[in-house]
Amino acid sequence: VIANSNFTKKTHAKIAPEDKIKVASLGVDSERFHPGDRTGFKVLFFGSDPIRKGFTYLWEALKLCHESLEDFEFWVLGCNPFPDDMTLPPNVKVFGLVPNVQVPEIVRQCHVTVLPTLEDGMPLGIQECMASGVVPIATECAAEAFEDRVSGFIVPYRDPEAIVRCLKLLKDAPMLLDAMSKTTRKKTEEQTWENFKKDFSLAVKM
């Protein structure tokens, strides 16, 4: 069995011998995904399954911190988690599903991505955001690609208040945000598809 992360390996280990499970971590194309020009303060939710990806907890966090983040924008990419008849605030923009070729340009305009997922492996969206210099805030199962408080923030499951604290910290400290943005980008330089192919090949041969 070949897993894409240590979290996925633990999941597979419930039904397969652990010594038969190898890990080949996914890579990211750092040429397609790279930092770009950004304005304001944009928070991104990037995922196709809003229920499993914990969208509810992020939405609650944004409602909690609305007054302290009055001039922020919230972008949703990959899905539309809102009811059709819901009137959204003017600072909320829903892209939904878009052609893959459009994704890098959308991502690189954001400052922070939040993924309070309840269950995940190695979310490719997190790595693509990091390569774009977008600082990740995620729960532990989705945080294998970054180091807590260095290249991102790990928050507890189902904890909107923790998300609020991280967002306020990054918005109120532009120098910290800029430093972490550069660190996230550098972190992905070692997360290449070439390394994935090597790890996958070794796993197949073992």
Side-chain angles (χ1 to χ4, degrees):
V1 178
I2 301 176
N4 66 349
S5 71
N6 288 311
F7 177 83
T8 308
K9 178 179 178 177
K10 291 178 183 177
T11 302
H12 291 332
K14 296 177 182 179
I15 58 173
E18 189 168 354
D19 62 346
K20 299 294 185 181
I21 306 171
K22 305 302 177 184
V23 175
S25 298
L26 299 178
V28 61
D29 187 342
S30 293
E31 292 187 5
R32 284 192 69 216
F33 291 90
H34 57 80
D37 295 330
R38 302 180 293 188
T39 58
F41 185 76
K42 296 182 180 71
V43 178
L44 175 68
F45 176 85
F46 186 8
S48 59
D49 184 348
I51 296 176
R52 182 169 61 87
K53 300 287 186 176
F55 177 83
T56 298
Y57 308 105
L58 172 54
W59 187 241
E60 287 300 316
L62 294 177
K63 289 191 289 186
L64 286 172
C65 66
H66 179 69
E67 291 185 2
S68 60
L69 293 172
E70 288 181 349
D71 58 346
F72 80 106
E73 293 181 56
F74 177 46
W75 289 8
V76 181
L77 178 61
C79 66
N80 182 1
F82 302 104
D84 292 338
D85 59 350
M86 181 175 178
T87 301
L88 297 175
N91 64 331
V92 176
K93 185 173 183 178
V94 179
F95 292 89
L97 287 171
V98 301
N100 184 266
V101 69
Q102 297 178 14
V103 172
E105 178 60 28
I106 295 171
V107 170
R108 71 173 61 103
Q109 295 181 61
C110 298
H111 298 78
V112 180
T113 185
V114 185
L115 193 69
T117 182
L118 302 176
E119 184 179 51
D120 228 309
M122 176 76 85
L124 189 57
I126 287 285
Q127 291 172 279
E128 292 171 344
C129 285
M130 290 176 62
S132 306
V134 182
V135 179
I137 299 171
T139 45
E140 185 176 5
C141 66
E144 199 162 307
F146 65 86
E147 184 179 354
D148 187 30
R149 299 182 180 276
V150 177
S151 47
F153 289 95
I154 298 177
V155 292
Y157 296 97
R158 301 180 176 88
D159 193 341
E161 289 82 4
I163 297 173
V164 171
R165 289 193 292 272
C166 292
L167 288 173
K168 290 177 67 175
L169 174 63
L170 290 170
K171 186 176 184 297
D172 293 342
M175 293 181 65
L176 173 64
L177 176 62
D178 183 63
M180 292 190 75
S181 174
K182 292 174 181 176
T183 303
T184 61
R185 167 67 185 183
K186 187 172 180 59
K187 183 74 174 175
T188 58
E189 291 177 359
E190 61 198 56
Q191 298 170 7
T192 65
W193 284 114
E194 282 300 318
N195 285 339
F196 167 77
K197 287 188 286 186
K198 291 176 183 177
D199 292 342
F200 192 90
S201 297
L202 287 173
V204 170
K205 294 174 182 178
M206 294 181 72

Short mmCIF file of all heavy atoms in Angstrom, two decimals, residues 162-189:
data_model
loop_
_atom_site.label_atom_id
_atom_site.label_comp_id
_atom_site.label_asym_id
_atom_site.label_seq_id
_atom_site.Cartn_x
_atom_site.Cartn_y
_atom_site.Cartn_z
N ALA A 162 -9.75 29.60 17.59
CA ALA A 162 -8.32 29.45 17.28
C ALA A 162 -8.01 30.01 15.89
O ALA A 162 -6.97 30.62 15.68
CB ALA A 162 -7.92 27.98 17.36
N ILE A 163 -8.92 29.81 14.97
CA ILE A 163 -8.75 30.36 13.62
C ILE A 163 -8.74 31.88 13.68
O ILE A 163 -7.91 32.54 13.03
CB ILE A 163 -9.87 29.87 12.68
CG1 ILE A 163 -9.81 28.35 12.53
CG2 ILE A 163 -9.77 30.56 11.31
CD1 ILE A 163 -10.98 27.75 11.76
N VAL A 164 -9.63 32.45 14.48
CA VAL A 164 -9.69 33.91 14.64
C VAL A 164 -8.36 34.46 15.14
O VAL A 164 -7.85 35.46 14.63
CB VAL A 164 -10.82 34.31 15.61
CG1 VAL A 164 -10.74 35.79 15.96
CG2 VAL A 164 -12.19 34.00 15.01
N ARG A 165 -7.80 33.80 16.15
CA ARG A 165 -6.54 34.28 16.73
C ARG A 165 -5.43 34.29 15.68
O ARG A 165 -4.63 35.25 15.61
CB ARG A 165 -6.14 33.41 17.92
CG ARG A 165 -7.03 33.59 19.16
CD ARG A 165 -6.41 32.96 20.39
NE ARG A 165 -6.37 31.50 20.29
CZ ARG A 165 -7.36 30.70 20.68
NH1 ARG A 165 -8.47 31.21 21.19
NH2 ARG A 165 -7.24 29.38 20.57
N CYS A 166 -5.36 33.26 14.86
CA CYS A 166 -4.31 33.20 13.83
C CYS A 166 -4.52 34.27 12.77
O CYS A 166 -3.56 34.93 12.33
CB CYS A 166 -4.30 31.82 13.20
SG CYS A 166 -3.77 30.49 14.30
N LEU A 167 -5.76 34.46 12.34
CA LEU A 167 -6.05 35.46 11.32
C LEU A 167 -5.72 36.87 11.81
O LEU A 167 -5.11 37.67 11.10
CB LEU A 167 -7.52 35.38 10.90
CG LEU A 167 -7.92 34.18 10.05
CD1 LEU A 167 -9.43 34.15 9.85
CD2 LEU A 167 -7.21 34.20 8.71
N LYS A 168 -6.11 37.17 13.05
CA LYS A 168 -5.85 38.49 13.61
C LYS A 168 -4.35 38.72 13.76
O LYS A 168 -3.85 39.83 13.49
CB LYS A 168 -6.56 38.64 14.95
CG LYS A 168 -8.07 38.73 14.84
CD LYS A 168 -8.75 38.79 16.19
CE LYS A 168 -8.44 40.09 16.91
NZ LYS A 168 -9.19 40.21 18.19
N LEU A 169 -3.63 37.69 14.19
CA LEU A 169 -2.18 37.81 14.35
C LEU A 169 -1.52 38.16 13.02
O LEU A 169 -0.69 39.08 12.94
CB LEU A 169 -1.61 36.51 14.90
CG LEU A 169 -0.08 36.42 15.01
CD1 LEU A 169 0.44 37.47 15.98
CD2 LEU A 169 0.35 35.03 15.44
N LEU A 170 -1.90 37.46 11.97
CA LEU A 170 -1.26 37.68 10.66
C LEU A 170 -1.67 39.02 10.05
O LEU A 170 -0.85 39.69 9.43
CB LEU A 170 -1.62 36.53 9.71
CG LEU A 170 -0.99 35.19 10.06
CD1 LEU A 170 -1.58 34.07 9.22
CD2 LEU A 170 0.53 35.24 9.86
N LYS A 171 -2.91 39.42 10.25
CA LYS A 171 -3.36 40.68 9.68
C LYS A 171 -2.75 41.87 10.42
O LYS A 171 -2.41 42.89 9.81
CB LYS A 171 -4.88 40.80 9.71
CG LYS A 171 -5.37 42.07 9.00
CD LYS A 171 -6.87 42.12 8.94
CE LYS A 171 -7.29 43.36 8.13
NZ LYS A 171 -6.87 44.61 8.75
N ASP A 172 -2.60 41.74 11.73
CA ASP A 172 -2.08 42.84 12.53
C ASP A 172 -0.56 42.94 12.50
O ASP A 172 0.01 43.91 13.01
CB ASP A 172 -2.55 42.70 13.99
CG ASP A 172 -4.05 42.87 14.13
OD1 ASP A 172 -4.67 43.42 13.20
OD2 ASP A 172 -4.60 42.45 15.16
N ALA A 173 0.10 41.94 11.94
CA ALA A 173 1.57 41.93 11.90
C ALA A 173 2.05 41.68 10.47
O ALA A 173 2.44 40.55 10.12
CB ALA A 173 2.11 40.86 12.85
N PRO A 174 2.03 42.71 9.63
CA PRO A 174 2.42 42.55 8.22
C PRO A 174 3.83 41.97 8.03
O PRO A 174 4.06 41.21 7.08
CB PRO A 174 2.33 43.98 7.67
CG PRO A 174 1.40 44.69 8.59
CD PRO A 174 1.62 44.08 9.94
N MET A 175 4.74 42.33 8.92
CA MET A 175 6.11 41.82 8.79
C MET A 175 6.15 40.30 9.05
O MET A 175 6.87 39.58 8.37
CB MET A 175 7.05 42.55 9.74
CG MET A 175 7.25 44.02 9.38
SD MET A 175 8.39 44.88 10.50
CE MET A 175 9.92 44.02 10.14
N LEU A 176 5.36 39.85 10.01
CA LEU A 176 5.28 38.41 10.29
C LEU A 176 4.65 37.70 9.10
O LEU A 176 5.13 36.64 8.67
CB LEU A 176 4.45 38.16 11.55
CG LEU A 176 4.13 36.69 11.87
CD1 LEU A 176 5.42 35.92 12.14
CD2 LEU A 176 3.18 36.59 13.05
N LEU A 177 3.58 38.26 8.57
CA LEU A 177 2.91 37.68 7.42
C LEU A 177 3.87 37.55 6.24
O LEU A 177 3.93 36.51 5.57
CB LEU A 177 1.70 38.53 7.02
CG LEU A 177 0.94 38.10 5.77
CD1 LEU A 177 0.35 36.71 5.95
CD2 LEU A 177 -0.17 39.11 5.45
N ASP A 178 4.64 38.60 5.99
CA ASP A 178 5.59 38.59 4.87
C ASP A 178 6.68 37.54 5.09
O ASP A 178 7.04 36.81 4.16
CB ASP A 178 6.21 39.98 4.71
CG ASP A 178 7.14 40.05 3.51
OD1 ASP A 178 6.67 39.85 2.38
OD2 ASP A 178 8.34 40.29 3.71
N ALA A 179 7.19 37.45 6.32
CA ALA A 179 8.24 36.48 6.62
C ALA A 179 7.73 35.05 6.47
O ALA A 179 8.42 34.19 5.89
CB ALA A 179 8.77 36.71 8.03
N MET A 180 6.52 34.79 6.97
CA MET A 180 5.97 33.44 6.87
C MET A 180 5.63 33.10 5.42
O MET A 180 5.75 31.96 5.00
CB MET A 180 4.74 33.30 7.77
CG MET A 180 5.05 33.37 9.25
SD MET A 180 3.65 32.91 10.31
CE MET A 180 3.63 31.13 10.10
N SER A 181 5.22 34.11 4.67
CA SER A 181 4.93 33.90 3.25
C SER A 181 6.17 33.41 2.51
O SER A 181 6.11 32.47 1.71
CB SER A 181 4.42 35.20 2.62
OG SER A 181 4.26 35.07 1.23
N LYS A 182 7.30 34.03 2.79
CA LYS A 182 8.55 33.62 2.15
C LYS A 182 8.98 32.23 2.62
O LYS A 182 9.51 31.43 1.83
CB LYS A 182 9.64 34.64 2.46
CG LYS A 182 9.39 36.00 1.79
CD LYS A 182 10.42 37.03 2.22
CE LYS A 182 10.14 38.37 1.55
NZ LYS A 182 11.06 39.44 2.01
N THR A 183 8.73 31.94 3.89
CA THR A 183 9.10 30.63 4.42
C THR A 183 8.26 29.52 3.82
O THR A 183 8.76 28.43 3.51
CB THR A 183 8.95 30.61 5.96
OG1 THR A 183 9.74 31.65 6.53
CG2 THR A 183 9.41 29.28 6.54
N THR A 184 6.96 29.78 3.64
CA THR A 184 6.09 28.77 3.05
C THR A 184 6.53 28.46 1.63
O THR A 184 6.52 27.30 1.20
CB THR A 184 4.61 29.21 3.03
OG1 THR A 184 4.47 30.40 2.26
CG2 THR A 184 4.10 29.47 4.43
N ARG A 185 6.88 29.50 0.89
CA ARG A 185 7.35 29.30 -0.48
C ARG A 185 8.62 28.44 -0.49
O ARG A 185 8.74 27.49 -1.27
CB ARG A 185 7.62 30.65 -1.14
CG ARG A 185 8.41 30.60 -2.44
CD ARG A 185 7.65 29.94 -3.57
NE ARG A 185 8.49 29.80 -4.76
CZ ARG A 185 8.09 29.31 -5.91
NH1 ARG A 185 6.84 28.89 -6.06
NH2 ARG A 185 8.92 29.22 -6.94
N LYS A 186 9.57 28.77 0.37
CA LYS A 186 10.83 28.04 0.42
C LYS A 186 10.60 26.58 0.82
O LYS A 186 11.27 25.68 0.32
CB LYS A 186 11.79 28.71 1.41
CG LYS A 186 13.19 28.12 1.41
CD LYS A 186 14.13 28.93 2.25
CE LYS A 186 15.53 28.33 2.24
NZ LYS A 186 16.11 28.24 0.89
N LYS A 187 9.64 26.36 1.70
CA LYS A 187 9.35 25.01 2.18
C LYS A 187 8.94 24.10 1.03
O LYS A 187 9.29 22.91 1.02
CB LYS A 187 8.24 25.07 3.22
CG LYS A 187 7.88 23.75 3.86
CD LYS A 187 8.93 23.29 4.84
CE LYS A 187 8.49 22.03 5.57
NZ LYS A 187 9.56 21.50 6.44
N THR A 188 8.23 24.63 0.05
CA THR A 188 7.74 23.78 -1.05
C THR A 188 8.81 23.47 -2.08
O THR A 188 8.59 22.62 -2.95
CB THR A 188 6.55 24.45 -1.76
OG1 THR A 188 6.95 25.74 -2.27
CG2 THR A 188 5.37 24.61 -0.83
N GLU A 189 9.95 24.13 -1.99
CA GLU A 189 11.00 23.87 -2.97
C GLU A 189 11.51 22.42 -2.89
O GLU A 189 12.02 21.89 -3.86
CB GLU A 189 12.16 24.85 -2.77
CG GLU A 189 11.79 26.30 -3.15
CD GLU A 189 12.91 27.28 -2.87
OE1 GLU A 189 13.97 26.83 -2.37
OE2 GLU A 189 12.73 28.48 -3.14
#
